[in-house]
Amino acid sequence: MSETPKTIVRRTPWPSSSSRAVVTPLQPSVVYASASPDALDDQYEGRAKGYTYAREGHPNADVLAAKIDGMEGASGGFILGSGMAAVTAAMLGCLKAGDHVLGGDQLYGRSMRMLSTELPRLGIETSLADPTDGAAMAAAIRPNTRMILIEVVSNPTLRVADVPAIAALCRDRDILLCVDNTFTTPRGFRPFDHGADIVLHSVTKLLAGHSDVTLGWIAARDAQVRAAMLGTAVTLGLTPSPFDCWLAERGLYSFELRYDRAEENAARLADAIAPLPGVKRVLYPMRPDHPDHNRAAHLLAGRGGNMVTFEIEGGRAQTNALVQAAQNIAFAPTLGDVGTTLSHPATSSHRALSPERRAQLGLGEGVFRVSVGVEPADLLIDEFRAAIAAARATA
Ligand SMILES: *Cc1c(COP(=O)(O)O)cnc(C)c1O
């Protein structure tokens, strides 16, 4: 042990050890001391690698980013304070007043809000089109379209975007294709292999996997696009917490196991509840009755993911009864937790829409979305059977 400083105000040196820690250290330091002004100059000018101030980057974020880079086949990805911070970095880093962004028409609610409210306020034009229909996307392109933002699998109807057609459009017209890959994860789909220019994640969801951190990740194919997004993120302060990065890295070690198990459970659950009395329909991309089954089978290479959506007969009395009967399944508007969670679009993600618009999207009162976790499949199936029966027994 090195010498104890003469006042407690001085930092105590880290104990030396001839063995090394197996686990990534957690480094919460905001500031980094340099050896001299020359050394600091070298850092700022890029002649030497070094951290200076945590808003501009820190080791726990870099360790996490490198891991997700590897999964996505990306390089130079970086971590942000939330998935929405990643959406913000993409939009504000790459767009200026007068540009147009085209979005898929079933984006995550807050991404939708970004397009409907925040960007227009800054003079950026936005519009939406159906990403399952390449011709509809092509028709929505304007001379000033600079970016297209899509999700591969939509929430909660699990529609699959025509990524090849949209990527071809973007290539032909020099438009940046930005793909939010949160739902599919790199285990289900790797957008850079399919022509994406920018890929982003809400790491909060499946990647971290334990509902205890809020983080985002983003990467770009082009170094200039990356630099623009990073500069914007550092200036706007979209910084991730080192502890969150550390937790998310810890979560990633079990990601593949969790994902595969949850996916297997989801496929089994979908098939088990589809024939039950009181169930109007079940949506799961790998089921032959899914509207995008063929595209899913081809594009997602057989990976259906962990999300299942189903609709029961009846109204609020029945949906209340189902949630109350499903005592062990958290009724919570999130996804990707290690445990199964249940959400109800009509009262959560899609509550801002009119009942007519919800009906148009097929999101009536009876629709539930399940983010399937890693519990034993038989247990889950029994719990859902009982909850659906309880709903049906409600007058
Ligand atoms: C949750 C989510 C986001 C936003 O992520 P946060 O980490 O909550 O900010 C963006 N896109 C999709 C598809 C999501 O599910």
Side-chain angles (χ1 to χ4, degrees):
M1 185 89 197
S2 24
E3 203 184 325
T4 305
K6 294 200 170 50
T7 158
I8 59 161
V9 176
R10 296 279 145 75
R11 304 281 183 183
T12 305
W14 193 252
S16 69
S17 169
S18 59
S19 53
R20 65 177 177 83
V22 172
V23 173
T24 302
L26 170 60
Q27 180 48 273
S29 193
V30 171
V31 285
Y32 290 82
S34 298
S36 66
D38 273 350
L40 189 57
D41 246 359
D42 287 345
Q43 259 173 245
Y44 273 119
E45 295 306 319
R47 292 186 292 266
K49 164 104 180 111
Y51 295 100
T52 51
Y53 187 70
R55 180 162 38 68
E56 307 194 343
H58 55 72
N60 287 106
D62 286 352
V63 167
L64 177 61
K67 277 203 133 50
I68 303 177
D69 284 3
M71 295 161 75
E72 282 287 6
S75 65
F78 54 94
I79 303 294
L80 300 144
S82 68
M84 283 315 298
V87 174
T88 301
M91 300 287 152
L92 300 189
C94 300
L95 302 171
K96 60 182 187 318
D99 288 343
H100 169 248
V101 191
L102 175 61
D105 63 0
Q106 289 194 47
L107 293 174
Y108 179 71
R110 284 283 159 182
S111 300
M112 221 41 136
R113 195 82 71 98
M114 176 81 79
L115 265 61
S116 66
T117 308
E118 300 296 332
L119 296 180
R121 211 157 51 77
L122 303 175
I124 297 166
E125 289 174 33
T126 66
S127 62
L128 304 174
D130 178 359
T132 67
D133 180 350
M137 293 296 281
I141 287 177
R142 301 177 187 175
N144 55 340
T145 303
R146 171 78 181 127
M147 182 187 288
I148 293 182
L149 171 66
I150 57 167
E151 291 167 23
V152 184
V153 171
S154 74
N155 173 38
T157 52
L158 312 180
R159 297 296 309 263
V160 181
D162 190 350
V163 181
I166 298 168
L169 269 178
C170 288
R171 219 170 19 247
D172 291 349
R173 302 177 202 213
D174 209 16
I175 295 168
L176 291 169
L177 175 58
C178 179
V179 178
D180 177 339
N181 203 32
T182 302
F183 257 55
T184 19
T185 82
R187 199 135 178 90
F189 188 75
R190 298 212 317 178
F192 281 126
D193 297 344
H194 296 263
D197 298 294
I198 299 168
V199 179
L200 64 88
H201 276 279
S202 170
V203 176
T204 313
K205 310 291 170 55
L206 286 136
L207 295 180
H210 295 74
S211 300
D212 50 12
V213 300
T214 307
L215 285 177
W217 169 92
I218 195 163
R221 185 187 296 282
D222 180 84
Q224 270 178 312
V225 171
R226 175 201 186 260
M229 296 193 307
L230 180 59
T232 297
V234 170
T235 302
L236 296 187
L238 309 179
T239 318
S241 136
F243 183 53
D244 282 358
C245 294
W246 186 87
L247 278 176
E249 183 209 336
R250 188 180 194 273
L252 269 189
Y253 291 107
S254 63
F255 166 71
E256 292 180 353
L257 291 171
R258 285 187 282 108
Y259 190 81
D260 291 357
R261 169 68 172 257
E263 181 178 64
E264 194 184 314
N265 281 353
R268 285 191 56 193
L269 180 68
D271 288 342
I273 62 179
L276 297 179
V279 173
K280 275 162 97 169
R281 58 183 181 135
V282 170
L283 292 168
Y284 186 67
M286 290 306 141
R287 281 176 58 84
D289 59 0
H290 188 278
D292 299 319
H293 173 70
N294 287 339
R295 183 176 296 149
H298 171 70
L299 208 57
L300 307 180
R303 312 270 351 199
N306 78 313
M307 306 297 289
V308 176
T309 296
F310 66 96
E311 183 171 16
I312 59 167
E313 288 163 5
R316 182 59 60 84
Q318 284 68 35
T319 55
N320 276 335
L322 186 147
V323 170
Q324 280 156 12
Q327 278 292 316
N328 295 317
I329 294 164
F331 176 57
T334 187
L335 66 106
D337 187 72
V338 68
T340 299
T341 57
L342 181 64
S343 75
H344 182 237
T347 50
S348 57
S349 56
H350 292 69
R351 68 173 297 126
L353 302 183
S354 66
E356 295 72 36
R357 178 66 185 141
R358 280 201 295 268
Q360 241 175 22
L361 292 172
L363 299 176
E365 173 64 32
V367 174
F368 284 103
R369 185 197 74 182
V370 190
S371 169
V372 180
V374 305
E375 300 94 330
D378 292 337
L379 176 69
L380 274 179
I381 290 169
D382 285 349
E383 287 173 340
F384 273 93
R385 269 208 192 106
I388 290 165
R392 194 168 145 75
T394 301

PDB file of all heavy atoms in Angstrom, residues 82-85 87 108 111 151 180 182-183 202-205 214-215 335, ligand 1:
ATOM      1  N   SER A  82     -29.441   7.845 -23.344  1.00  0.00           N
ATOM      2  CA  SER A  82     -30.705   7.113 -23.540  1.00  0.00           C
ATOM      3  C   SER A  82     -30.848   6.781 -25.020  1.00  0.00           C
ATOM      4  O   SER A  82     -30.105   7.303 -25.860  1.00  0.00           O
ATOM      5  CB  SER A  82     -31.904   7.975 -23.096  1.00  0.00           C
ATOM      6  OG  SER A  82     -32.058   9.083 -23.964  1.00  0.00           O
ATOM      7  N   GLY A  83     -31.817   5.949 -25.318  1.00  0.00           N
ATOM      8  CA  GLY A  83     -32.120   5.684 -26.722  1.00  0.00           C
ATOM      9  C   GLY A  83     -32.566   6.951 -27.433  1.00  0.00           C
ATOM     10  O   GLY A  83     -32.188   7.211 -28.584  1.00  0.00           O
ATOM     11  N   MET A  84     -33.345   7.773 -26.741  1.00  0.00           N
ATOM     12  CA  MET A  84     -33.785   9.027 -27.361  1.00  0.00           C
ATOM     13  C   MET A  84     -32.611   9.983 -27.566  1.00  0.00           C
ATOM     14  O   MET A  84     -32.633  10.791 -28.510  1.00  0.00           O
ATOM     15  CB  MET A  84     -34.892   9.696 -26.539  1.00  0.00           C
ATOM     16  CG  MET A  84     -36.268   9.051 -26.711  1.00  0.00           C
ATOM     17  SD  MET A  84     -36.726   8.676 -28.431  1.00  0.00           S
ATOM     18  CE  MET A  84     -36.727  10.311 -29.166  1.00  0.00           C
ATOM     19  N   ALA A  85     -31.599   9.911 -26.695  1.00  0.00           N
ATOM     20  CA  ALA A  85     -30.406  10.725 -26.927  1.00  0.00           C
ATOM     21  C   ALA A  85     -29.736  10.294 -28.235  1.00  0.00           C
ATOM     22  O   ALA A  85     -29.198  11.128 -28.975  1.00  0.00           O
ATOM     23  CB  ALA A  85     -29.436  10.602 -25.749  1.00  0.00           C
ATOM     24  N   VAL A  87     -31.362   9.028 -30.854  1.00  0.00           N
ATOM     25  CA  VAL A  87     -32.209   9.586 -31.925  1.00  0.00           C
ATOM     26  C   VAL A  87     -31.880  11.075 -32.094  1.00  0.00           C
ATOM     27  O   VAL A  87     -31.736  11.580 -33.218  1.00  0.00           O
ATOM     28  CB  VAL A  87     -33.715   9.375 -31.599  1.00  0.00           C
ATOM     29  CG1 VAL A  87     -34.592  10.083 -32.630  1.00  0.00           C
ATOM     30  CG2 VAL A  87     -34.047   7.883 -31.541  1.00  0.00           C
ATOM     31  N   TYR A 108     -41.350   4.282 -32.671  1.00  0.00           N
ATOM     32  CA  TYR A 108     -41.449   4.443 -31.221  1.00  0.00           C
ATOM     33  C   TYR A 108     -42.073   5.814 -30.916  1.00  0.00           C
ATOM     34  O   TYR A 108     -41.754   6.811 -31.573  1.00  0.00           O
ATOM     35  CB  TYR A 108     -40.041   4.341 -30.644  1.00  0.00           C
ATOM     36  CG  TYR A 108     -39.966   4.521 -29.156  1.00  0.00           C
ATOM     37  CD1 TYR A 108     -40.455   3.545 -28.291  1.00  0.00           C
ATOM     38  CD2 TYR A 108     -39.412   5.669 -28.601  1.00  0.00           C
ATOM     39  CE1 TYR A 108     -40.380   3.708 -26.926  1.00  0.00           C
ATOM     40  CE2 TYR A 108     -39.326   5.840 -27.231  1.00  0.00           C
ATOM     41  CZ  TYR A 108     -39.826   4.852 -26.398  1.00  0.00           C
ATOM     42  OH  TYR A 108     -39.748   5.021 -25.045  1.00  0.00           O
ATOM     43  N   SER A 111     -39.925   8.958 -30.728  1.00  0.00           N
ATOM     44  CA  SER A 111     -39.308   9.282 -32.024  1.00  0.00           C
ATOM     45  C   SER A 111     -40.352   9.985 -32.892  1.00  0.00           C
ATOM     46  O   SER A 111     -40.050  10.937 -33.617  1.00  0.00           O
ATOM     47  CB  SER A 111     -38.821   8.012 -32.734  1.00  0.00           C
ATOM     48  OG  SER A 111     -37.860   7.360 -31.943  1.00  0.00           O
ATOM     49  N   GLU A 151     -37.688   1.660 -38.147  1.00  0.00           N
ATOM     50  CA  GLU A 151     -37.430   0.523 -37.267  1.00  0.00           C
ATOM     51  C   GLU A 151     -37.687  -0.718 -38.105  1.00  0.00           C
ATOM     52  O   GLU A 151     -38.543  -0.701 -38.990  1.00  0.00           O
ATOM     53  CB  GLU A 151     -38.356   0.582 -36.043  1.00  0.00           C
ATOM     54  CG  GLU A 151     -38.000   1.741 -35.127  1.00  0.00           C
ATOM     55  CD  GLU A 151     -39.065   2.046 -34.079  1.00  0.00           C
ATOM     56  OE1 GLU A 151     -39.868   1.155 -33.757  1.00  0.00           O
ATOM     57  OE2 GLU A 151     -39.076   3.190 -33.593  1.00  0.00           O
ATOM     58  N   ASP A 180     -33.279   2.269 -36.388  1.00  0.00           N
ATOM     59  CA  ASP A 180     -33.394   2.007 -34.951  1.00  0.00           C
ATOM     60  C   ASP A 180     -33.550   0.498 -34.799  1.00  0.00           C
ATOM     61  O   ASP A 180     -34.592  -0.060 -35.141  1.00  0.00           O
ATOM     62  CB  ASP A 180     -34.605   2.769 -34.398  1.00  0.00           C
ATOM     63  CG  ASP A 180     -34.848   2.511 -32.914  1.00  0.00           C
ATOM     64  OD1 ASP A 180     -34.372   1.490 -32.390  1.00  0.00           O
ATOM     65  OD2 ASP A 180     -35.543   3.335 -32.289  1.00  0.00           O
ATOM     66  N   THR A 182     -33.486  -1.394 -32.075  1.00  0.00           N
ATOM     67  CA  THR A 182     -33.774  -1.795 -30.687  1.00  0.00           C
ATOM     68  C   THR A 182     -34.554  -3.104 -30.604  1.00  0.00           C
ATOM     69  O   THR A 182     -34.192  -4.001 -29.842  1.00  0.00           O
ATOM     70  CB  THR A 182     -34.589  -0.689 -29.984  1.00  0.00           C
ATOM     71  OG1 THR A 182     -33.850   0.526 -30.033  1.00  0.00           O
ATOM     72  CG2 THR A 182     -34.884  -1.047 -28.544  1.00  0.00           C
ATOM     73  N   PHE A 183     -35.614  -3.229 -31.378  1.00  0.00           N
ATOM     74  CA  PHE A 183     -36.488  -4.408 -31.285  1.00  0.00           C
ATOM     75  C   PHE A 183     -35.801  -5.666 -31.793  1.00  0.00           C
ATOM     76  O   PHE A 183     -35.944  -6.728 -31.208  1.00  0.00           O
ATOM     77  CB  PHE A 183     -37.746  -4.173 -32.147  1.00  0.00           C
ATOM     78  CG  PHE A 183     -38.961  -3.808 -31.370  1.00  0.00           C
ATOM     79  CD1 PHE A 183     -38.942  -2.724 -30.505  1.00  0.00           C
ATOM     80  CD2 PHE A 183     -40.140  -4.537 -31.500  1.00  0.00           C
ATOM     81  CE1 PHE A 183     -40.073  -2.373 -29.783  1.00  0.00           C
ATOM     82  CE2 PHE A 183     -41.272  -4.202 -30.790  1.00  0.00           C
ATOM     83  CZ  PHE A 183     -41.244  -3.119 -29.935  1.00  0.00           C
ATOM     84  N   SER A 202     -31.794   1.712 -28.353  1.00  0.00           N
ATOM     85  CA  SER A 202     -32.065   1.947 -26.952  1.00  0.00           C
ATOM     86  C   SER A 202     -31.438   0.758 -26.231  1.00  0.00           C
ATOM     87  O   SER A 202     -31.993  -0.342 -26.237  1.00  0.00           O
ATOM     88  CB  SER A 202     -33.562   2.017 -26.679  1.00  0.00           C
ATOM     89  OG  SER A 202     -33.762   2.009 -25.278  1.00  0.00           O
ATOM     90  N   VAL A 203     -30.250   0.992 -25.647  1.00  0.00           N
ATOM     91  CA  VAL A 203     -29.545  -0.075 -24.907  1.00  0.00           C
ATOM     92  C   VAL A 203     -30.341  -0.455 -23.652  1.00  0.00           C
ATOM     93  O   VAL A 203     -30.205  -1.555 -23.108  1.00  0.00           O
ATOM     94  CB  VAL A 203     -28.112   0.403 -24.551  1.00  0.00           C
ATOM     95  CG1 VAL A 203     -27.362  -0.613 -23.706  1.00  0.00           C
ATOM     96  CG2 VAL A 203     -27.319   0.702 -25.828  1.00  0.00           C
ATOM     97  N   THR A 204     -31.189   0.484 -23.228  1.00  0.00           N
ATOM     98  CA  THR A 204     -32.110   0.284 -22.108  1.00  0.00           C
ATOM     99  C   THR A 204     -32.870  -1.038 -22.187  1.00  0.00           C
ATOM    100  O   THR A 204     -33.183  -1.631 -21.166  1.00  0.00           O
ATOM    101  CB  THR A 204     -33.159   1.424 -22.134  1.00  0.00           C
ATOM    102  OG1 THR A 204     -32.501   2.672 -22.301  1.00  0.00           O
ATOM    103  CG2 THR A 204     -33.996   1.451 -20.879  1.00  0.00           C
ATOM    104  N   LYS A 205     -33.169  -1.466 -23.385  1.00  0.00           N
ATOM    105  CA  LYS A 205     -34.081  -2.589 -23.592  1.00  0.00           C
ATOM    106  C   LYS A 205     -33.341  -3.924 -23.560  1.00  0.00           C
ATOM    107  O   LYS A 205     -32.782  -4.275 -22.543  1.00  0.00           O
ATOM    108  CB  LYS A 205     -34.849  -2.379 -24.891  1.00  0.00           C
ATOM    109  CG  LYS A 205     -35.488  -0.984 -25.018  1.00  0.00           C
ATOM    110  CD  LYS A 205     -36.627  -0.747 -24.051  1.00  0.00           C
ATOM    111  CE  LYS A 205     -37.084   0.713 -24.036  1.00  0.00           C
ATOM    112  NZ  LYS A 205     -37.447   1.242 -25.356  1.00  0.00           N
ATOM    113  N   THR A 214     -30.757   3.378 -18.310  1.00  0.00           N
ATOM    114  CA  THR A 214     -31.288   4.052 -19.497  1.00  0.00           C
ATOM    115  C   THR A 214     -30.091   4.492 -20.323  1.00  0.00           C
ATOM    116  O   THR A 214     -29.301   5.326 -19.868  1.00  0.00           O
ATOM    117  CB  THR A 214     -32.113   5.283 -19.073  1.00  0.00           C
ATOM    118  OG1 THR A 214     -33.089   4.870 -18.128  1.00  0.00           O
ATOM    119  CG2 THR A 214     -32.826   5.911 -20.256  1.00  0.00           C
ATOM    120  N   LEU A 215     -29.912   3.905 -21.499  1.00  0.00           N
ATOM    121  CA  LEU A 215     -28.736   4.203 -22.327  1.00  0.00           C
ATOM    122  C   LEU A 215     -29.058   4.044 -23.809  1.00  0.00           C
ATOM    123  O   LEU A 215     -29.995   3.327 -24.177  1.00  0.00           O
ATOM    124  CB  LEU A 215     -27.587   3.222 -22.010  1.00  0.00           C
ATOM    125  CG  LEU A 215     -26.806   3.393 -20.713  1.00  0.00           C
ATOM    126  CD1 LEU A 215     -25.787   2.279 -20.586  1.00  0.00           C
ATOM    127  CD2 LEU A 215     -26.128   4.752 -20.637  1.00  0.00           C
ATOM    128  N   LEU A 335     -39.872  -2.966 -22.518  1.00  0.00           N
ATOM    129  CA  LEU A 335     -39.619  -4.246 -23.177  1.00  0.00           C
ATOM    130  C   LEU A 335     -38.170  -4.621 -22.953  1.00  0.00           C
ATOM    131  O   LEU A 335     -37.344  -3.787 -22.592  1.00  0.00           O
ATOM    132  CB  LEU A 335     -39.923  -4.143 -24.675  1.00  0.00           C
ATOM    133  CG  LEU A 335     -39.029  -3.227 -25.506  1.00  0.00           C
ATOM    134  CD1 LEU A 335     -38.078  -4.043 -26.374  1.00  0.00           C
ATOM    135  CD2 LEU A 335     -39.857  -2.331 -26.397  1.00  0.00           C
TER     136      LEU A 335
HETATM  137  C1  LIG B   1     -37.386   2.525 -25.848  1.00  0.00           C
HETATM  138  C2  LIG B   1     -37.130   2.820 -27.261  1.00  0.00           C
HETATM  139  C3  LIG B   1     -36.500   3.998 -27.654  1.00  0.00           C
HETATM  140  C4  LIG B   1     -36.083   5.050 -26.648  1.00  0.00           C
HETATM  141  O1  LIG B   1     -35.130   4.578 -25.772  1.00  0.00           O
HETATM  142  P1  LIG B   1     -34.895   5.185 -24.296  1.00  0.00           P
HETATM  143  O2  LIG B   1     -33.689   4.455 -23.836  1.00  0.00           O
HETATM  144  O3  LIG B   1     -36.135   4.887 -23.509  1.00  0.00           O
HETATM  145  O4  LIG B   1     -34.691   6.648 -24.473  1.00  0.00           O
HETATM  146  C5  LIG B   1     -36.276   4.216 -28.995  1.00  0.00           C
HETATM  147  N1  LIG B   1     -36.661   3.315 -29.929  1.00  0.00           N
HETATM  148  C6  LIG B   1     -37.280   2.165 -29.583  1.00  0.00           C
HETATM  149  C7  LIG B   1     -37.680   1.222 -30.652  1.00  0.00           C
HETATM  150  C8  LIG B   1     -37.536   1.879 -28.244  1.00  0.00           C
HETATM  151  O5  LIG B   1     -38.160   0.743 -27.918  1.00  0.00           O
END
